[in-house]
Amino acid sequence: MRVEDLANLAPDSDVRQAALEVERHVAAEGWDQVPRLFALVRTAALVAQQPELAGQLGDAVYTPVEQDGLPDQGSLEESLDAIAWPPAVDGCAVVVERIMLPPEAEQDVPEDPAALEAYVAAHPDRRDVRIVAAVTRDGQSHTGVRGRPPADDELLEAPDLVPNLTRALRDTLAD
């Protein structure tokens, strides 16, 4: 699939706008960051509860509220498994940095976790990427992947580019 084709997969939506806002916020602080987690709260509900914020918040449907940090329990997936949002939270977003390999490199990936880590770190075609994923209780989702500059700093986006991460986020919203 070409980059031009991916643009057609990213229709504008409220969750897309929230994901883009989160990605811009995190990107402003550079690379080599820990995973960051955000609650998505309806802006109107937030202003109704805290009217003094009205002048500080824009007119977006969702306002991202950064959380203090993910639980320190190992993998991102394990950390997300430990999260359950209260009903006042309408969605959530996470930003994480990863190393990706091209599809042709997957055939040589070792099973052993230590060997896998060494293989990925030493692979000449590895790419550092930043992934943003956002989901809402009503089933919307949006993901974006940005390569580390200078190679490629364009954000590739679609509703579900990273399905396992999107699914893990949805699970945090389950009642």
Side-chain angles (χ1 to χ4, degrees), residues 14-26 37-43 46 53 57-58 60-67 85 89 91-95 132 134:
D14 297 329
V15 72
R16 177 179 181 261
Q17 291 304 313
L20 295 177
E21 181 179 344
V22 165
E23 198 276 336
R24 281 189 301 268
H25 172 74
V26 172
L37 182 66
F38 297 79
L40 300 180
V41 180
R42 289 199 176 270
T43 303
L46 193 56
L53 295 177
L57 302 177
V61 171
Y62 297 110
T63 296
V65 179
E66 187 162 8
Q67 304 304 291
W85 297 101
V89 173
C92 59
V94 68
V95 179
V132 60

Side-chain angles (χ1 to χ4, degrees), residues 23 27 30-31 127-130 146-154:
E23 198 276 336
W31 285 82
R127 294 282 319 273
D128 291 343
V129 296
R130 177 181 296 125
R146 182 182 305 279
R148 187 175 194 146
D152 181 22
D153 63 353
E154 183 177 354

Side-chain angles (χ1 to χ4, degrees), residues 76-167:
L76 176 63
E77 292 76 13
E78 290 171 339
S79 295
L80 290 175
D81 280 346
I83 295 172
W85 297 101
V89 173
D90 298 292
C92 59
V94 68
V95 179
V96 61
E97 294 178 9
R98 291 288 185 253
I99 298 173
M100 296 180 79
L101 296 178
E104 58 272 9
E106 292 178 16
Q107 65 191 17
D108 298 326
V109 172
E111 295 287 326
D112 176 65
L116 171 64
E117 188 174 327
Y119 174 78
V120 170
H123 199 283
D125 296 324
R126 72 183 185 275
R127 294 282 319 273
D128 291 343
V129 296
R130 177 181 296 125
I131 302 166
V132 60
V135 300
T136 59
R137 288 191 190 273
D138 65 6
Q140 295 183 68
S141 65
H142 193 78
T143 52
V145 178
R146 182 182 305 279
R148 187 175 194 146
D152 181 22
D153 63 353
E154 183 177 354
L155 183 69
L156 303 177
E157 19 172 344
D160 202 15
L161 282 177
V162 188
N164 290 341
L165 184 55
T166 303
R167 190 175 314 111

